[in-house]
Amino acid sequence: MRRVPFLGAVLLPAALPLLGQAAIAQAPAAGPTAGQAAATVRRCSSPDPAHEQQCYTAELDARLSAAGPAAALKLLDALSARDPDVRRDGHMYAHRIGISALKSPDQVGRVFATCTPAYQSGCYHGVIQGYFIAVEKAGGSATTETVDALCADHRAAANAFLLFQCTHGLGHGLDILHRHDLPKALAGCDLLSRGDERQMCYAGAFMENIVDATMPHHVSAPKVVEPPAAHIGHGDHATHGTAQGPPGEPPFKALDPNDLHYPCSKFDEKYLTACYTIQTSAMLHHLHGDVARVGAECGRAPEKARDTCFLSLGRDVSTIALGNHAEAVRLCGLAPEAYRPTCHGGVVASIVNMNADPAEGIPYCRAVPDLGGKRACYIAVGFQALGLPDGAALRERACKAAEPAMMEACTGHPPRDS
């Protein structure tokens, strides 16, 4: 089963354009015709995942080169509507679009502004990855000042959504810069002067660590830098993604099938929450998709991170269910009873984040049968909405479709006529 997991140090050029100019005017991108998209799916669909991904990647790259990121994302929309494999891996394809769109570091602000929130904002993350790939090739390093600069223009409250996407992308990029040596990537995140941004960065680094270890040849990791010498043992989960350490030091092992809580179990408490936002993807990888066993493992997570672990499980359940609400409800039902509402919250958060639209989460909440799970679901819809641009208005519009008894949970306040 193919999986999509979940929701370092660089010298930046002195004249780096910051990423706040996200409202650059763009001509509407033309989408492919239905016939063109259907023909691409017929040509690319294959029982061989590697062949299929290479074929779709070539099509997306060609569209990107011809018409830019927005057009490539429209093609991804058309393909994902026709092929569930593309839909399942949409976040990673969007990462690839962002990576490939960035041709040089001095374009980072302009290219970042051409992305959209679709596919859990993968394009935004990919642009930052692409920046760090370019820096890696140039042999860069980092200071607090230079790392702080990259996302600085998003620190206004109105830009909170883009600040998250940028700093999360930083974590991905820093892990790439440090050749998937996770401790070094996290140390790079620690250079950020603001604690909330460090947490966002940590989560991106932990995610990149798992993606590289479980899907090292995936489309989101084009081979534009030389792979670490220790990328060995492609069938060995214990050595896959191992980073080469300095002489005399043991290499860092990305995952450990003998410890389902690794690498979270290795790091200081300050990294714990960020690590568990993605850890269930590693658990499912080791346990071959056994949701019930992963639920049991989340129950054994440190208390501080237990809710986060079940939210992470919900996100993965959303990926496994692939839009089938009844199946997602069933899978969350495999979690320990006390944490099923949290799992439902993770599912609906993933649904909302897929296209940055809280209205898409309402049908799932309606499908949740128990009141506790339903209430947690609606609360999550409202919470996720507030993290989006114009979030308060989006929440109000989406919650109009909520069940009357759940209106307050969704909106965060009693109905106006009460």
Side-chain angles (χ1 to χ4, degrees), residues 339-359:
Y339 290 97
R340 290 172 194 167
T342 311
C343 181
H344 291 307
V347 171
V348 82
S350 180
I351 292 170
V352 170
N353 288 336
M354 181 55 67
N355 294 305
D357 185 357

Side-chain angles (χ1 to χ4, degrees), residues 23-50:
I24 293 176
Q26 303 173 51
T33 67
Q36 290 169 334
T40 299
V41 170
R42 286 194 298 271
R43 183 167 59 255
C44 292
S45 293
S46 170
D48 178 1

